[in-house]
Amino acid sequence: MTTADGTAGSGGGGTLDVFARRPKRADARRNYEKLLAAAREAFAEAGVSASLEDIARRAGVGIGTLYRHFPTRQDLFESVYVDEVEALCRAADELAGLPPWDALAGWLRRFVTYTATKRAIAEALNHDSSVFATCRKAINTAGEPLLRRAQDSGAARPEASFDDVLRLVGGVTMYPFADPVQLERVLTMALDGIRVRPAAG
Amino acid sequence: MTTADGTAGSGGGGTLDVFARRPKRADARRNYEKLLAAAREAFAEAGVSASLEDIARRAGVGIGTLYRHFPTRQDLFESVYVDEVEALCRAADELAGLPPWDALAGWLRRFVTYTATKRAIAEALNHDSSVFATCRKAINTAGEPLLRRAQDSGAARPEASFDDVLRLVGGVTMYPFADPVQLERVLTMALDGIRVRPAAG
DNA sequence: CACCATACGGAGGGTCGCCTCCGTTTGCAA
DNA sequence: TTGCAAACGGAGGCGACCCTCCGTATGGTG
């Protein structure tokens, strides 16, 4: 899965194919990337409602150019989002070799940095566009096996659904942490909440 | 503490005194309350950037009236927020009679419904106005003893700070839950993350 | 009942972001 | 080098929201 580099090909089921859209001409391609970077930045700072004109400005590009590449705000938004999701899915593959709990925990840590920087973008998980649905599915496909494996091995609570876990862990970084040590502490608590509780005694 | 009803009096340290501002004339008072209710609703739905004109409309009141009562957006915002915080503080007092862990858990559950409905309002925890600082302090004063008690009794992790706990639990409801059963499940995990882990074996 | 301080409403001027449209520029293929 | 399809940029019209200002309405008191 996870269409990682330019070598296209829609792997298994619902791959994301961000590359379908990428323009051909050199300058256009350049601007496309600049816009994407600017947007990522702007969304992270100002939230979903970042000004499109500001994004164009950051990218050093006319507003018209922005609209040519991304006809709607949603388009731009989705492109940024899809990039993130792909990276996240790739991470799942890379962690697959670790012991069950470590793989899950590692991936969730990665998930946290994903939501941490892109807090704004996560707001869109509610919205209902087909792209978001696809991304959601991609995340599930990538992460759920990790949870299941951890559950089967007896490390993770059997009653926890994948969605439960994402909500618990994702919520942690809803507000930015000034202190990375604190983030670590809170994250540990969250992960412990997912683990099976040894019988008290 | 907790200036609960109209009987004023700034209790201990930094009480909140929402009542200082409440207008005198009957119609004014009525509109004030209507605006507050409308704002609570609007902020919960549309986030911090809800339109003031919309709030006035919801309240069935002219925009001028809104501005007379709440000269700045921040004023309105703070008033809603303060109301919430007061209720939350009151809850802490009411739970004080329970066993240590139950009191903490109960209060945190209350805290969750508070952040759940008022998600938007919580965004402001970052902002730095004196009112928000005071509220933050009030929440601490109300909730921290519950945590400490739970820790002293050996039920809660000793290394968890009060802020850690709020972030963990508050984050849970960052995104609305369609299914209350799921909320309960996730919340349980979060609370378990705060509890001391019995030694594995 | 009469008076007036208090409160109401909403028109309107200003700002800002959205998006379209079109004259100009530029990559690139022949 | 030349030509044209592709891409660029930004002026400008539009709508949403902000906030002020002032003529009108009204509660409450004497």
Side-chain angles (χ1 to χ4, degrees):
Chain A
M1 55 191 280
T2 66
T3 312
D5 48 27
T7 54
S10 61
T15 319
L16 305 180
D17 73 344
V18 224
F19 305 94
R21 177 186 274 155
R22 245 93 175 185
K24 299 262 154 61
R25 240 174 72 170
D27 54 345
R29 194 182 192 79
R30 212 161 34 234
N31 283 334
Y32 182 95
E33 300 299 344
K34 280 196 284 187
L35 279 167
L36 222 48
R40 201 189 322 277
E41 216 181 277
F43 284 141
E45 279 175 31
V48 214
S49 56
S51 151
L52 295 187
E53 253 146 14
D54 178 55
I55 292 178
R57 222 173 299 128
R58 281 176 196 244
V61 140
I63 183 69
T65 299
L66 183 149
Y67 274 97
R68 196 163 335 91
H69 286 300
F70 307 99
T72 74
R73 168 189 225 81
Q74 189 75 354
D75 287 326
L76 178 52
F77 198 78
E78 288 178 355
S79 298
V80 173
Y81 184 67
V82 164
D83 268 3
E84 291 303 318
V85 171
E86 290 199 322
L88 191 58
C89 292
R90 231 172 296 138
D93 289 351
E94 287 159 14
L95 291 164
L98 298 174
W101 174 257
D102 296 345
L104 177 63
W107 188 74
L108 289 176
R109 274 164 201 285
R110 176 67 180 71
F111 181 79
V112 156
T113 74
Y114 151 81
T115 35
T117 0
K118 330 300 176 199
R119 196 163 331 111
I121 295 175
E123 288 174 33
L125 275 171
N126 299 328
H127 300 3
D128 34 34
S129 93
S130 76
V131 173
F132 284 127
T134 310
C135 285
R136 194 94 185 115
K137 210 177 296 173
I139 292 180
N140 274 29
T141 309
E144 195 159 25
L146 298 181
L147 173 61
R148 196 181 314 280
R149 198 154 71 90
Q151 287 173 325
D152 289 348
S153 79
R157 286 174 179 249
E159 81 271 25
S161 78
F162 186 60
D163 191 57
D164 291 351
V165 169
L166 290 194
R167 279 171 180 271
L168 179 58
V169 173
V172 164
T173 45
M174 218 47 242
Y175 300 122
F177 279 79
D179 177 6
V181 176
Q182 184 185 19
L183 169 56
E184 185 49 41
R185 212 164 49 224
V186 176
L187 194 47
T188 301
M189 291 197 271
L191 291 176
D192 277 351
I194 294 164
R195 268 202 280 182
V196 158
R197 283 185 75 77
Chain B
M1 53 190 281
T2 66
T3 316
D5 47 26
T7 52
S10 61
T15 320
L16 306 180
D17 72 343
V18 225
F19 305 94
R21 179 184 275 154
R22 245 92 175 187
K24 300 263 156 60
R25 239 174 72 170
D27 54 346
R29 194 183 192 81
R30 211 158 38 230
N31 284 333
Y32 182 96
E33 301 299 345
K34 278 196 284 187
L35 279 167
L36 223 49
R40 201 189 324 277
E41 217 181 276
F43 284 141
E45 277 175 32
V48 213
S49 54
S51 149
L52 296 186
E53 252 149 15
D54 178 55
I55 292 178
R57 222 173 300 128
R58 281 177 196 245
V61 139
I63 184 67
T65 300
L66 183 150
Y67 275 97
R68 195 162 337 91
H69 285 300
F70 308 99
T72 74
R73 167 187 226 80
Q74 189 75 354
D75 287 326
L76 178 53
F77 197 79
E78 288 178 355
S79 297
V80 173
Y81 185 67
V82 163
D83 267 4
E84 291 304 317
V85 171
E86 289 199 322
L88 191 57
C89 293
R90 231 172 298 137
D93 289 350
E94 287 158 14
L95 291 163
L98 298 175
W101 175 257
D102 296 346
L104 177 63
W107 188 75
L108 289 176
R109 273 164 202 286
R110 176 66 180 73
F111 181 78
V112 157
T113 74
Y114 150 82
T115 35
T117 359
K118 330 301 174 197
R119 196 164 332 111
I121 296 176
E123 288 174 32
L125 275 171
N126 299 328
H127 300 5
D128 33 36
S129 92
S130 76
V131 173
F132 284 125
T134 309
C135 284
R136 192 95 186 114
K137 210 176 297 173
I139 292 181
N140 274 31
T141 309
E144 195 159 25
L146 297 182
L147 174 61
R148 195 180 314 282
R149 199 154 70 93
Q151 287 173 327
D152 289 347
S153 79
R157 288 173 178 249
E159 79 272 25
S161 78
F162 186 62
D163 192 57
D164 292 350
V165 169
L166 289 194
R167 279 171 179 273
L168 179 59
V169 173
V172 165
T173 44
M174 218 47 243
Y175 300 123
F177 280 79
D179 176 6
V181 175
Q182 184 184 21
L183 169 57
E184 184 49 41
R185 214 162 50 223
V186 176
L187 194 49
T188 302
M189 292 198 271
L191 291 177
D192 277 352
I194 294 165
R195 267 201 282 182
V196 159
R197 283 185 75 75

